[in-house]
C-alpha cells in the first residue's frame, strides 16, 4: 500500500521506493539505521533536500549534527520530482507578492528565490556534484487566449520591475517550433534541469564528508521535550539534542509534532516517462534538445526532454495514496500528453510514479523557528516546509536558512513573509480532501 500522510501511521522503512525512472537509472548508497543512544547539538528529522542541506550548513559551522530519515535516501519528494530548477517556491508569483506586501518585500523574496538557485549552482561547482545538470529553454505556455495575454503582461512587468528577461512566443511560433496543440501563446525563459535522485545522493555525500551523522530506515516515532532539549526515539535507538529541525515536508506523519500538525496539505503529483523518442517523433514534436515546459493551468502540466531523449510528463495525481497507481491516473496524464503532442500517440509509457507535495494554506512556504515554545537561548524547534511543489532549489536553501537562523545568524531578513510567521493551520483532513476532489472536478470542466 502506498504511503498516505493523512491516513498512514508514518513512513516505515519497509515501504518500497518509487518505481521511477530515477531509481531505475541510479542507485543511491544505503545508509545505516540508528542502533544506539546518541547525543548531538542538533537532531534533524527528514533526510531529503531540506534536512541534508541543513545538516551541511550546521556541520560546516562545526556543530554536531545527527539526521534521521524513516526510509532510504530519496524516498520522499527529493527522489521523485521532475528535476526542474525553478526560481521561486510556493504558489505566489513575484507580482502577487508585490500586490500583497509591496515592492520592497517582493524584491527581498526575489533575492531569496534567486539565492536558492545560486546556492544550488554554487554547490554543484564547489563540491563537484554529479547531477546531470542540463541548461536549455524553459517555456511557459498559456492554455487559453486570456492566459496568453496575462502571461505576456506579466512578462513585461517582471522585466521592468524585477529585471527578469524573457521572450514572448506567439501561438504560431509555438506550433511551428514544437507542433504543440492547445497553447495560445507563451514566454521563453532560461531553464535548467537535473537528476533529482543524484542530487539527494550528492547532498548526503557532502553532509557525511562534513561530519554529519546520517541514519536512514530510522523513523522518529516519539519526540519528548526535556529541560535541556529533545529526545527523539527510533525503533532501535534515540538521539538527545538541544535543538530539533523538522524537515519532513509533505511526508510528515499525522499527529507528529504540535509545531507542524495540520500546517500543510499533502497533495499528490504524478509523473510518467516515455520510451526514448524516435528521430521521426523528435522532429515531428520539435523535442530535439533538452528543454522544459510548464503550462498556466491551475492543475499544471509540466514536461521536459531527458538527456537520453525520453519525455518526462507530470501533472496532478490521485487524491488518496491508495489510488495513486490506478490505470485511470496514468491514462489521464497520457491523454494530456497526446493532446499536446499528437506525434507521440502510441509511444510506450516506461515508468510511472507519484509523490506528495506540501501545500501551505496561504501558498507561502515557511522557514520558522519556534522560540515561543521554549524561550530564547533555550532549545529550539524549527521547520521548513510548504514549498507547493517547487523545491528542487528552494528546499535546500530553506534548510540552509533554517540552520543559519537556529545558529543565530543575523544575515536572514526575518521581515520577509517566509520567516516572520508560522505556517497557518488547515481545517480537518477530511474537509481538505473533500475540497480537493471538488477542485479536481472543477478543473476537469474548466481546464480541459
Ligand atoms: C512528482 C513531483 C514532482 C516535482 N517536481 C518538481 C520540480 O520539477 N521542481 C521543483 O522545484 N520541485 C518539484 N517537486 C517538489 C520537490 O520535490 C520538493 O519540494 C522537495 O523535494 C522537498 O524536499 P524535502 O527535503 O523538504 O522533502 P522530502 O524530499 O519529501 O523529504 C522528507 C523526508 O522526510 C522523511 N520522513 C517523514 N517522516 C519521518 C519520520 N517520522 N522520521 C524520519 N524521517 C521522516 C521521509 O522519509 C522523506 O525522506 C516535485 C514534487 C513531486 C512529488
Amino acid at each position: 500500500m502506498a504511503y498516505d500522510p493523512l491516513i498512514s501511521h508514518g513512513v516505515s522503512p519497509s515501504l518500497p521506493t518509487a518505481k521511477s525512472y530515477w531509481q531505475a537509472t541510479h542507485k543511491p548508497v544505503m545508509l545505516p539505521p540508528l542502533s544506539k543512544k546518541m547525543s548531538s547539538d542538533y537532531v534533524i528529522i527528514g533526510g531529503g533536500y531540506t534536512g541534508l542541506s541543513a545538516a551541511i550548513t550546521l556541520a560546516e559551522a562545526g556543530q554536531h549534527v545527527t539526521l534521521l530519515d524513516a526510509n532510504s535516501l530519496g524516498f520522499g519528494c527529493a527522489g521523485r520530482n521532475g528535476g526542474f530548477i525553478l526560481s521561486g517556491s510556493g504558489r505566489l508569483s513575484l507580482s502577487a507578492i508585490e500586490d500583497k506586501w509591496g515592492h520592497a518585500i517582493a524584491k527581498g523574496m526575489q533575492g531569496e528565490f534567486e539565492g536558492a538557485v545560486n546556492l544550488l549552482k554554487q554547490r554543484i561547482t564547489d563540491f563537484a556534484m554529479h547531477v546531470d545538470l542540463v541548461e536549455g529553454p524553459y517555456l511557459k505556455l498559456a492554455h487559453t487566449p486570456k492566459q496568453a495575454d496575462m502571461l505576456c503582461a506579466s512578462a513585461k512587468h517582471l522585466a521592468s520591475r524585477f529585471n527578469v528577461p524573457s521572450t514572448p512566443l506567439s501561438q504560431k511560433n509555438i506550433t511551428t517550433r514544437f507542433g504543440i496543440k492547445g497553447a495560445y501563446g507563451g514566454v521563453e525563459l532560461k531553464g535548467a534541469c537535473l537528476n533529482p535522485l543524484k542530487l539527494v545522493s550528492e547532498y548526503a555525500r557532502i553532509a557525511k564528508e562534513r561530519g554529519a551523522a546520517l541514519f536512514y530506515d530510522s523513523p522518529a516515532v516519539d519526540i519528548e521535550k526535556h529541560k535541556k532539549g529533545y529526545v527523539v526515539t527510533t525503533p532501535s535507538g534515540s538521539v538527545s539534542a538541544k535543538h530539533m529541525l523538522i524537515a519532513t515536508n509533505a511526508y510528515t506523519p499525522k499527529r507528529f509534532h504540535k509545531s507542524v500538525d495540520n500546517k500543510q496539505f499533502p497533495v499528490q503529483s504524478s509523473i510518467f516517462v516515455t520510451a526514448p523518442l524516435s528521430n521521426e517523433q523528435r522532429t515531428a514534436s520539435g523535442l530535439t534538445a533538452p528543454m522544459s515546459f510548464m503550462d498556466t493551468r491551475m492543475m499544471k502540466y509540466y514536461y521536459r526532454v531527458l538527456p537520453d531523449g525520453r519525455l518526462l510528463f507530470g501533472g496532478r495525481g490521485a487524491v488518496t495514496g491508495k489510488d495513486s497507481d490506478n490505470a485511470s491516473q496514468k491514462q489521464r496524464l497520457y491523454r494530456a500528453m497526446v493532446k499536446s503532442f499528437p506525434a507521440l500517440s502510441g509511444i510506450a509509457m516506461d515508468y510511472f510514479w507519484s509523490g506528495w507535495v506540501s501545500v501551505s494554506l496561504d501558498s507561502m512556504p515557511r522557514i520558522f523557528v519556534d522560540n515561543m515554545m521554549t524561550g530564547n537561548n533555550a532549545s529550539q524547534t524549527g521547520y521548513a516546509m510548504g514549498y507547493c511543489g517547487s523545491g528542487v532549489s528552494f528546499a535546500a536553501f530553506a534548510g540552509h536558512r533554517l540552520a543559519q537562523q537556529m545558529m543565530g545568524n543575523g544575515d536572514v531578513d526575518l521581515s520577509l513573509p517566509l520567516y516572520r510567521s508560522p505556517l497557518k493551520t488547515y481545517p480537518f483532513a477530511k474537509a481538505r480532501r473533500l475540497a480537493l476532489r471538488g477542485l479536481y472536478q472543477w478543473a476537469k470542466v474548466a481546464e480541459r
Side-chain angles (χ1 to χ4, degrees):
M1 167 85 85
Y3 178 60
D4 188 326
L6 293 186
I7 293 172
S8 314
H9 290 292
V11 176
S12 93
S14 61
L15 283 165
T17 51
K19 291 191 187 106
S20 69
Y21 169 78
W22 311 122
Q23 289 282 355
T25 53
H26 166 72
K27 286 279 158 266
V29 291
M30 303 267 288
L31 288 154
L34 180 72
S35 57
K36 57 184 176 188
K37 285 186 174 179
M38 288 186 64
S39 58
S40 203
D41 299 328
Y42 290 84
V43 60
I44 302 175
I45 305 175
Y49 304 143
T50 305
L52 285 167
S53 176
I56 292 169
T57 300
L58 289 166
E60 277 183 335
Q63 302 294 328
H64 191 232
V65 188
T66 305
L67 179 147
L68 304 171
D69 193 284
N71 199 287
S72 54
L73 197 52
F75 173 80
C77 270
R80 296 170 189 254
N81 67 69
F84 291 55
I85 301 175
L86 303 166
S87 176
S89 190
R91 286 183 70 95
L92 300 179
S93 64
L94 285 177
S95 309
I97 293 171
E98 188 181 29
D99 287 347
K100 198 164 171 184
W101 287 288
H103 188 66
I105 291 284
K107 284 295 280 183
M109 291 289 288
Q110 181 185 21
E112 297 299 89
F113 293 152
E114 288 177 357
V117 176
N118 293 340
L119 178 71
L120 172 60
K121 292 194 172 166
Q122 192 65 51
R123 281 175 165 173
I124 290 175
T125 309
D126 290 354
F127 303 139
M129 291 162 75
H130 296 286
V131 293
D132 300 342
L133 177 71
V134 278
E135 308 212 317
Y138 168 48
L139 286 85
K140 284 191 180 173
L141 301 179
H143 74 288
T144 62
K146 191 176 165 199
Q147 284 291 340
D149 292 344
M150 285 167 65
L151 207 51
C152 249
S154 152
K156 275 188 194 147
H157 183 74
L158 288 178
S160 67
R161 299 280 287 170
F162 295 95
N163 205 17
V164 178
S166 65
T167 312
L169 299 168
S170 68
Q171 182 174 13
K172 193 169 161 221
N173 190 310
I174 295 166
T175 315
T176 42
R177 244 171 102 189
F178 303 105
I180 292 182
K181 298 269 181 297
Y184 291 84
V187 289
E188 180 174 332
L189 299 117
K190 272 194 186 159
C193 293
L194 49 63
N195 180 317
L197 190 60
K198 288 188 180 175
L199 180 64
V200 76
S201 284
E202 288 288 56
Y203 280 141
R205 170 180 69 81
I206 296 155
K208 260 188 91 178
E209 284 170 4
R210 299 287 174 288
L214 310 181
F215 298 100
Y216 280 71
D217 294 326
S218 305
V221 289
D222 187 52
I223 299 171
E224 268 182 56
K225 176 80 186 79
H226 293 278
K227 254 192 187 157
K228 289 189 176 165
Y230 298 89
V231 177
V232 179
T233 305
T234 69
S236 48
S238 66
V239 183
S240 310
K242 186 165 183 199
H243 306 295
M244 177 173 73
L245 287 75
I246 301 179
T248 44
N249 202 39
Y251 286 74
T252 309
K254 58 181 178 178
R255 290 190 289 280
F256 184 58
H257 186 265
K258 60 184 171 181
S259 62
V260 292
D261 288 348
N262 292 320
K263 295 286 177 96
Q264 49 100 28
F265 185 16
V267 173
Q268 279 193 108
S269 186
S270 298
I271 289 180
F272 71 85
V273 169
T274 67
L277 273 59
S278 66
N279 283 340
E280 295 74 43
Q281 284 166 328
R282 287 170 75 105
T283 313
S285 60
L287 301 174
T288 49
M291 56 184 84
S292 49
F293 303 83
M294 178 108 50
D295 73 15
T296 48
R297 286 176 174 83
M298 188 169 183
M299 304 299 146
K300 294 188 187 334
Y301 293 119
Y302 50 92
Y303 31 103
R304 62 176 275 211
V305 185
L306 296 173
D308 64 358
R310 298 167 185 270
L311 182 70
L312 175 152
F313 195 95
R316 75 140 177 103
V319 173
T320 59
K322 75 175 168 41
D323 291 331
S324 58
D325 274 345
N326 283 1
S328 61
Q329 301 300 331
K330 298 176 186 171
Q331 286 157 6
R332 180 176 46 76
L333 274 188
Y334 191 87
R335 275 197 305 273
M337 179 213 44
V338 173
K339 211 170 154 191
S340 295
F341 299 104
L344 301 188
S345 178
I347 194 166
M349 182 188 282
D350 282 355
Y351 304 92
F352 174 90
W353 70 95
S354 301
W356 296 96
V357 304
S358 162
V359 178
S360 59
L361 186 58
D362 59 2
S363 301
M364 175 65 65
R366 292 297 198 290
I367 302 153
F368 190 71
V369 180
D370 209 340
N371 284 316
M372 302 296 290
M373 276 171 39
T374 50
N376 279 327
N377 299 324
S379 64
Q380 298 176 316
T381 311
Y383 61 81
M385 56 180 72
Y387 313 122
C388 304
S390 191
V392 166
S393 62
F394 195 76
F397 183 78
H400 167 69
R401 282 293 201 219
L402 180 61
Q404 285 183 316
Q405 268 193 73
M406 292 187 77
M407 290 188 292
N409 181 319
D411 286 352
V412 188
D413 179 357
L414 297 175
S415 72
L416 295 176
L418 283 170
Y419 305 107
R420 69 178 176 212
S421 61
L423 283 164
K424 291 184 188 303
T425 304
Y426 269 96
F428 298 113
K430 269 193 184 159
R432 275 181 265 170
R433 287 249 155 114
L434 209 62
L436 189 65
R437 279 187 204 284
L439 190 64
Y440 288 171
Q441 284 307 323
W442 165 84
K444 226 181 192 172
V445 180
E447 299 202 316
R448 266 183 251 257

